[in-house]
Amino acid sequence: MNMNNPVGQTPLDQAGGVIGKPLDRVDGPLKVAGAATYAAEYKDVGGKTSYGFLVQATIATGRMSAIDTAAAEKAPGVLLVMTHQNVPAQGPKTSTSAPQLASDKILFFGQPIALVVAETFEQARAAAFMVKPTYDAKPGTFDLAAGRSDAVVPKPNNGSKPDSALGDFAGAFGESAVTVDVTYTTPPQAHAMMEPHATIAVWNGDQLTLYTANQMLSRGLETVSSTLNMSKDKVRLLSRYVGGGFGAKLQVQSDAILAALAAKMLDRPVKLVLTRPQVFHVTTHRTDTIQRLRLGAKADGTMVAIGHESWSNNTPGEAFYETAANATRSIYAAPNRMTAHRLATLDLPVSASMRAPGEAVGLLALECAMDELAVALKMDPIALRIINEPTEDPEKKIPFSSRSLVPCMQKGADLFGWSKRNVTPASVRDGHWLVGMGMSAAIRGNPMLPAKARVLLDHDGVATVQTSMTDIGTGSYTILGQIAADMLGLPIDKVRVELGDTAFPAAPGSGGSFGANSAGAAVYDACETMRNLLAQRAKLDASTAVFAGSTIQAAGLSQTLADLVGPTGLVADGAADPGDSRKKYSQDSYGAHFAEVGVDMDTGEIRLRRMLGVFTAGRILNAKTARSQAIGGMTFGVGAALVEDLVIDKRYGTFMNNNLAEYHVPVHADIPQIEAVFLPELDDKSSPMKSKGIGELGICGAGAAVANAVFNATGICIRDYPLTLDKVLAGWDADDKVQQRSSTSPALMPG
């Protein structure tokens, strides 16, 4: 099936099903019992497992003039020391291959330069420190601000051009009654997922199996096969459970390729698990950005000019850039527009996608700039956004598939008590705390990719769903089971879901908020085929038949599905494709964030007091998993606003806080009352489920709501994320205006 046309009535529209219900995750019991097998936990994979440990470069740029492995090779238990000098042949570096130890060239600090394999992990780790490289180091460039002048126009990203223009931006901005021209910066960020990257590689003749932590197995299969010069049908990847990814596991990383190469050389399984500091340097991170926002408006708040320029960086030879200005292209109306992205080449580890690439950092800047414009106009921030609500996509000039941003803002304002907000900054006090409210809009793209799935119906009436889709903690097992259950009229306990295996029909995997729409549509199509097959066997009309209670019913007749499939069972395949729906309609999910913060008048400490997100994302497939995703994303946004900062040592190109002790993310004590609400919506142009992407929506704009609340609390506008207390203190004047304000401030208003 494809989404060339809107979807009409479907079996999922019938009342009484399990779609939308807050069902517990079906994989929950396995996970809390420790019975869900993650990549590094597989036993009895075929032969005695050996253990690998990476050796990393301790310079950021240059080359290795020599590497001495003699001591390591003689160390107890060591089976192999692999370097660029003895690594097996691999395919060349391309967009679909990831060769390792390919040369003596060093591109970034922490780059893998050797792999030591031994009988035990401890032996491999000890021997790794005996490898002695000699370097011919070169000066590196590690600062985006310094490298910005040499930034270039990047190549298009997934069909999206780096620059866009409409009307006469410069002229309209120059003639605007009220303008804002501000620059925001965001730091590098790390994914900091719980499960580190890990792979167990096993060869059986010329067949390779990788038990690995990967979000997108179909793409991973292509990368592994092309890197190792193998046919795809000789490679199998399994990622049945992934302990978080946030984008760090979208690509095949060095653990998979190096484990496969070593296992081939040794003819025995090799397990390679990255340490936490290795994860920070060897895998990917979110690049820092510099973003300039220029907004021009009439005196009544109607915007006439929007300009958003963003600079980001990557390793030499890497094309990825942060699409920070893309959301600006469609969120607000203005006849004169300009967006631009520039990519600087720095000698740092590889930058790539991290949760909500583009929007997550882009809205940190745009939504704060919108509030600055509201202050300049003396307008309520929500009123400013509503007056600039577009009736069609402002740049593509096509209709929205559905758009409920304004209802999200209005409902959120009502639930949060926005009308009680004091518009004068630094005017509300609660003891030694200055209190403020802030809000922001949220937008996240709603993509869909081609996917396949299979449904098997057994003689006992149990349906099994199979697809290479992954579950990275988001609830894929559960929602795909709910789709199949309602399509076939089965109770949820009569549906089994099998994921994370390239032996199953290919799905794009988890990423980009496309997982549920893509894999879910394929499951829907497979179930539609199964319904037709069952109707044929029952000699009933599939278009009028009702599937309920494990039966098919029509014209007063009823037959059980188990009886219809017989002892051999029945198999149905499905495939789904977005068609031209994304060309005909502008498709995004929307929301509005509201935050209340307190800022200590003595220390500048910022504390989140409460937070609300109101969202629309088409049909909600599972109310519980959707809420969890939204709250998780909002927590991510709080971290981006207040604490997350992957600190670069700009002398050596290293990440100084490359561990979970010093790379700060929000913990329980940082997150008080957070609530997420979804407004009812169906989008018949998005997917056959009429749902939209939701996984990354919660982070989009969340940090800006916190930052805007800090301004409302203090009157200090901080444009350099994260908003740490030193920046608050620096913003307070030496003449003790805070104390002057606090002596005349009203008490905190109820609610």
Side-chain angles (χ1 to χ4, degrees):
M1 67 165 298
N2 59 51
M3 288 301 300
N4 287 331
N5 298 301
V7 177
Q9 280 290 112
T10 78
L12 300 183
D13 294 322
Q14 304 303 313
V18 293
I19 280 290
K21 299 291 176 56
L23 298 189
D24 292 342
R25 282 169 39 172
V26 297
D27 52 326
L30 286 174
K31 289 183 174 179
V32 299
T37 308
Y38 292 87
E41 299 176 336
Y42 284 87
K43 310 293 184 184
D44 303 321
V45 294
K48 185 179 180 182
T49 299
S50 53
Y51 297 83
F53 197 91
L54 283 184
V55 181
Q56 298 171 269
T58 54
I59 65 168
T61 180
R63 60 179 291 272
M64 282 188 299
S65 56
I67 183 166
D68 184 356
T69 62
E73 290 169 346
K74 296 175 183 177
V78 170
L79 303 169
L80 172 67
V81 180
M82 185 165 56
T83 72
H84 69 283
Q85 296 172 335
N86 64 342
V87 66
Q90 303 168 76
K93 171 68 175 168
T94 67
S95 60
T96 59
S97 66
Q100 302 296 315
L101 311 180
S103 73
D104 61 4
K105 189 174 182 180
I106 306 299
L107 297 178
F108 56 88
F109 187 98
Q111 175 183 318
I113 58 171
L115 175 71
V116 178
V117 184
E119 294 287 357
T120 69
F121 170 79
E122 292 78 11
Q123 290 171 333
R125 180 179 59 186
F129 289 97
M130 300 178 188
V131 176
K132 302 300 180 185
T134 302
Y135 298 109
D136 179 11
K138 294 182 180 179
T141 304
F142 313 116
D143 182 63
L144 177 58
R148 180 165 61 155
S149 59
D150 295 324
V152 300
V153 179
K155 297 177 181 178
N157 187 318
N158 292 326
S160 174
K161 295 181 179 179
D163 295 356
S164 69
L166 193 68
D168 177 13
F169 166 75
F173 181 78
E175 296 173 2
S176 296
V178 180
T179 62
V180 166
D181 185 348
V182 291
T183 298
Y184 281 80
T185 66
T186 64
Q189 296 173 350
H191 302 85
M193 77 300 293
M194 286 174 51
E195 180 199 24
H197 293 70
T199 298
I200 301 174
V202 183
W203 288 85
N204 184 7
D206 62 352
Q207 298 280 338
L208 171 64
T209 299
L210 296 179
Y211 304 89
T212 190
N214 190 284
Q215 295 175 228
M216 298 176 62
L217 292 184
S218 295
R219 187 163 80 174
L221 179 64
E222 172 130 3
T223 299
V224 172
S225 61
S226 61
T227 302
L228 301 182
N229 296 315
M230 297 177 63
S231 172
K232 289 182 185 178
D233 61 5
K234 300 291 186 181
V235 181
R236 182 184 181 192
L237 274 62
L238 292 98
S239 295
R240 293 193 177 104
Y241 300 98
V242 181
F246 309 123
K249 295 170 183 171
L250 292 175
Q251 295 89 12
V252 169
Q253 302 291 351
S254 58
D255 58 292
I257 300 301
L258 289 174
L261 292 168
K264 185 67 171 178
M265 293 178 72
L266 293 172
D267 194 25
R268 61 184 286 187
V270 171
K271 177 190 292 189
L272 177 54
V273 181
L274 301 189
T275 66
R276 187 63 62 178
Q278 287 174 343
V279 169
F280 275 73
H281 280 103
V282 174
T283 69
T284 61
H285 67 282
R286 196 200 300 274
T287 170
D288 44 343
T289 70
I290 300 171
Q291 300 178 55
R292 184 186 183 189
L293 273 298
R294 283 178 285 175
L295 308 177
K298 299 178 182 178
D300 67 355
T302 303
M303 286 196 289
V304 295
I306 297 178
H308 191 168
E309 299 165 274
S310 176
W311 289 261
S312 57
N313 70 81
N314 215 329
T315 308
E318 296 290 336
F320 174 88
Y321 67 94
E322 194 74 34
T323 53
N326 276 15
T328 305
R329 297 174 180 175
S330 64
I331 190 169
Y332 300 120
N336 304 286
R337 319 172 65 85
M338 179 273 294
T339 68
H341 297 90
R342 296 295 179 266
L343 179 63
T345 297
L346 301 184
D347 301 302
L348 291 171
V350 177
S351 301
S353 295
M354 182 170 158
R355 194 174 194 176
E359 292 97 333
V361 292
L363 293 178
L364 286 173
L366 172 65
E367 286 301 291
C368 288
M370 286 292 290
D371 264 41
E372 293 198 54
L373 181 61
V375 170
L377 289 162
K378 296 182 173 57
M379 283 187 71
D380 177 83
I382 296 178
L384 173 63
R385 288 166 171 84
I386 291 177
I387 201 174
N388 290 290
E389 172 73 1
T391 56
E392 65 175 2
D393 188 289
E395 295 196 14
K396 295 179 181 177
K397 301 300 181 183
I398 56 177
F400 298 108
S401 63
S402 65
R403 180 175 169 116
S404 300
L405 176 55
V406 170
C408 286
M409 292 189 288
Q410 293 171 329
K411 184 66 174 180
D414 180 54
L415 294 174
F416 201 70
W418 184 255
S419 62
K420 298 178 182 179
R421 171 181 176 266
N422 193 314
V423 299
T424 304
S427 297
V428 179
R429 175 184 169 189
D430 183 10
H432 273 272
W433 296 87
L434 293 171
V435 180
M437 292 186 191
M439 64 79 57
S440 72
I443 182 173
R444 171 62 183 163
N446 175 48
M448 178 182 173
L449 299 179
K452 296 179 181 179
R454 178 179 300 123
V455 174
L456 304 92
L457 190 58
D458 294 339
H459 63 88
D460 55 1
V462 174
T464 299
V465 174
Q466 293 179 335
T467 172
S468 69
M469 174 65 180
T470 53
D471 191 325
I472 60 173
T474 50
S476 300
Y477 279 103
T478 308
I479 62 171
L480 296 182
Q482 288 175 269
I483 293 169
D486 277 5
M487 287 295 294
L488 299 177
L490 297 172
I492 193 67
D493 60 0
K494 291 289 188 181
V495 179
R496 297 175 59 236
V497 179
E498 297 179 349
L499 304 177
D501 189 339
T502 55
F504 299 152
S510 301
S513 298
F514 52 64
N517 261 359
S518 305
V523 172
Y524 176 99
D525 189 56
C527 289
E528 187 80 350
T529 301
M530 179 66 75
R531 288 166 62 96
N532 289 330
L533 292 173
L534 291 167
Q536 290 174 12
R537 291 196 175 191
K539 296 182 172 54
L540 297 173
D541 183 354
S543 64
T544 58
V546 174
F547 288 77
S550 298
T551 67
I552 178 173
Q553 307 166 16
L557 301 175
S558 176
Q559 298 183 58
T560 68
L561 304 189
D563 288 342
L564 286 173
V565 300
T568 59
L570 200 57
V571 179
D573 290 316
D577 187 277
D580 59 8
S581 59
R582 271 66 185 169
K583 297 178 181 178
K584 291 180 179 178
Y585 302 97
S586 179
Q587 299 210 18
D588 294 279
S589 299
Y590 299 95
H593 296 280
F594 294 81
E596 180 182 279
V597 303
V599 183
D600 189 287
M601 297 190 307
D602 297 319
T603 68
E605 176 188 4
I606 301 170
R607 282 287 174 182
L608 182 69
R609 297 163 71 101
R610 62 191 179 101
M611 195 169 187
L612 167 70
V614 180
F615 307 101
T616 55
R619 170 179 273 128
I620 302 304
L621 301 177
N622 183 306
K624 182 175 290 187
T625 60
R627 180 177 178 272
S628 294
Q629 282 293 288
I631 289 176
M634 293 164 70
T635 303
F636 235 99
V638 174
L642 300 182
V643 296
E644 285 202 57
D645 187 357
L646 189 55
V647 180
I648 302 168
D649 185 328
K650 294 179 182 177
R651 299 169 299 172
Y652 308 114
T654 64
F655 294 138
M656 299 173 66
N657 52 338
N658 57 1
N659 55 74
L660 294 188
E662 296 175 313
Y663 180 78
H664 293 164
V665 297
V667 296
H668 285 298
D670 299 316
I671 303 298
Q673 178 67 28
I674 286 187
E675 190 52 76
V677 174
F678 289 91
L679 302 184
E681 183 183 59
L682 297 176
D683 191 333
D684 61 358
K685 305 166 191 68
S686 172
S687 75
M689 295 83 67
K690 304 178 183 176
S691 59
K692 283 184 171 183
I694 202 173
E696 295 161 293
L697 179 61
I699 189 178
C700 298
V706 174
N708 289 334
V710 171
F711 173 78
N712 182 244
T714 65
I716 301 167
C717 183
I718 303 171
R719 302 189 184 102
D720 179 24
Y721 287 98
L723 281 60
T724 48
L725 59 85
D726 57 307
K727 297 169 187 174
V728 177
L729 294 175
W732 279 335
D733 297 331
D735 60 358
D736 204 18
K737 288 184 179 179
V738 175
Q739 292 300 322
Q740 293 176 27
R741 283 195 300 264
S742 66
S743 63
T744 58
S745 295
L748 181 65
M749 289 175 286

